[in-house]
């Protein structure tokens, strides 16, 4: 059972039973009475079509962003926000956010018998024996918890397979650097969201031992949004003797201001799955897009509703998706006008399409890379699919740990700070967007044009002047190369190329697989995490 969980979910909660529940947005105390039952306070329901009218008092609440909420020491009431701001506030608010206060990253205890506290893979007879030992260490790491939602324990491939997983990434990066830049440029690495600092430590230890001449020219920068994790990373890496080459910056990558003109490598390992998404739904009659908004009333209950597209980032993403002719975000039967009319005429049919979760914060990251790291090479690994997701397209898994049981939920609107919310990544769409955005030399398209463009039916043929049409892949559609300047891919700036690899393909290329091979020949580092892909 553990192996299945590992291959599907990097948070590897050792479930004793499988539960699926929808949690209330507010917690009850022993003296509280159960709230009265009431109809869904939303303007769309997947089973019954309600009026699109929203209670006027909810529309009068101030519209806040996650940045506005950073000063709040407890979840707000009487406010409105976009869905991405609700998710971002739930995960990253410095006072009550999931990663700020609840989440703990599992790491193998130092008495495991392996290298630097990692598992000694070569001693295990088979994967079953290895899984039993992981489960044992997991229980030890979670000891001392009280009943109810509390310590949120999860791990990444970096922690489970340390130091070998980190060394594979180091080998990948240093191979590129030696081929293209050494000894004329410094080896500059930017890691986004470094967790416990294990990946940085494994990379730097590997360079110091095997490539000392590269280590002497290394500048390793960690961009970490969590103040607590940034302190821990700084302490750990300085303690291990890497203080001279490491700079830990406690800042959100979306607020990065420094421009890196030199060639560099940007590493995002298991990070973007927790990037906030927006929700978009389409009117079944007109196919006009509506953006998701959630109001929090006076008692802390969530009231989701939908409005016409007005947010520039949502509009930018929808316009970009149409320009690149990416797959239409509608179930196949809703793409036919006749079937759509028939479906809409059915008794109790919904008035909007199923929710479409769009990676607007991922788009923000690509824009940051284009602006502030013009000569970078991106190494991004994450999950292409996840089990137990809430309903919708590209929908997230929402879950919390109660005791030793991980419980997936049926809605994203849950008590802020108590639940992990993680999304799969569409690597095909990501690769196309990345290629296109980094080929553009100028600023984004006019905001008003994108708002108008985003409101057009996704099934309509593209007639916008912003459309690339058939000329997208022609040479004149890309930025003109700069004489004497190459990108980190080795091609002239404006001619970037990136590829998507399966997890196994990537590790078979760069990892020392003998270090994680079991006695019977199995290799859990390759066999687990089958739903992970790598963009490089």
């Amino acid at each position: 059972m553990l192996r299945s969980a590992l291959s599907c979910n990097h948070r590897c909660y050792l479930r004793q039973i499988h539960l699926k529940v929808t949690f209330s947005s507010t917690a009850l105390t022993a003296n509280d009475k159960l709230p009265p039952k009431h109809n869904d306070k939303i303007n769309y329901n997947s089973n019954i079509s309600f009026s699109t009218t929203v209670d006027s008092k909810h529309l009068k609440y101030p519209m806040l962003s996650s940045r506005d909420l950073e000063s709040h020491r407890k979840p707000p009431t009487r406010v409105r926000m976009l869905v991405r701001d609700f998710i971002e506030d739930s995960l990253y608010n410095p006072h009550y956010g999931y990663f700020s206060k609840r989440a703990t990253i599992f790491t193998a205890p130092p008495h495991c018998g392996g290298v630097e506290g990692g598992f000694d893979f070569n001693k295990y007879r088979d994967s079953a024996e290895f899984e039993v030992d992981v489960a044992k260490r997991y229980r030890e790491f979670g000891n001392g918890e009280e009943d109810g939602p509390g310590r949120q324990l999860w791990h990444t491939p970096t922690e489970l397979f340390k130091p070998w997983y980190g060394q594979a990434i180091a080998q990948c990066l240093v191979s590129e650097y030696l081929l293209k830049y050494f000894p004329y440029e410094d080896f500059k690495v930017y890691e986004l969201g470094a967790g416990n600092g294990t990946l940085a430590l494994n990379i730097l230890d590997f360079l110091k031992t095997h490539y000392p001449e590269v280590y002497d020219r290394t500048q390793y920068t960690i961009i970490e949004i969590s103040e607590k994790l940034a302190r821990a990373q700084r302490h750990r890496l300085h303690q291990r003797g890497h203080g001279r080459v490491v700079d830990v910056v406690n800042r959100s990558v979306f607020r990065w201001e420094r421009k890196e003109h030199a060639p560099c490598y940007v590493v995002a390992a298991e990070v973007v799955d927790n990037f906030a998404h927006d929700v978009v739904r389409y009117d079944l009659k007109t196919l006009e897009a509506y953006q998701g908004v959630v109001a929090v009333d006076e008692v802390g209950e969530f009231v989701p509703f939908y409005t016409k597209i007005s947010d520039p980032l949502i509009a930018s993403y929808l316009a970009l998706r149409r320009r690149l002719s990416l797959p239409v975000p509608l179930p196949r039967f809703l793409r036919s006008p006749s079937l759509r009319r028939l479906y809409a005429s059915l008794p109790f049919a919904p008035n909007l399409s199923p929710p479409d979760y769009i990676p607007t914060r991922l788009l923000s990251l690509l824009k940051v890379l284009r602006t502030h790291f013009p000569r970078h090479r991106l190494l991004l690994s994450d999950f292409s699919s996840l089990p137990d997701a809430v309903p919708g397209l590209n929908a997230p898994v929402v879950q919390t740990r109660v005791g030793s049981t991980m419980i997936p939920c049926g809605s994203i609107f849950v008590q802020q700070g108590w639940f992990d919310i993680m999304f799969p990544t569409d690597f095909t769409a990501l690769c196309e967007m990345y290629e296109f955005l980094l080929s553009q030399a100028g600023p984004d398209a006019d905001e008003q044009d994108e708002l108008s463009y985003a409101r057009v039916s996704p099934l309509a043929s593209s007639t916008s002047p912003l459309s690339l049409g058939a000329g997208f892949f022609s040479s004149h559609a890309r930025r003109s190369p700069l004489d004497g300047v190459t990108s980190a891919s080795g091609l002239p700036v404006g001619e970037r190329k990136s590829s998507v690899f399966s997890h196994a393909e990537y590790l078979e290329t760069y990892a020392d697989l003998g270090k994680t091979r079991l006695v019977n020949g199995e290799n859990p580092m390759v066999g687990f995490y089958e739903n992970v892909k790598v963009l490089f």
Side-chain angles (χ1 to χ4, degrees), residues 2 9 52 72 89 191 202 252 257 286 335 396 406 418 458:
L2 174 60
N9 190 337
T52 57
H72 288 231
D89 181 61
E191 183 184 353
N202 295 159
S252 168
E257 298 175 349
T286 64
R335 300 177 193 178
M406 178 49 67
W418 289 95

Side-chain angles (χ1 to χ4, degrees), residues 413-428:
F413 299 114
V414 289
Q415 179 68 35
Q416 299 98 313
W418 289 95
F419 296 81
D420 190 6
I421 304 173
M422 53 183 175
F423 293 84
T425 297
D426 183 340
F427 275 82
T428 300

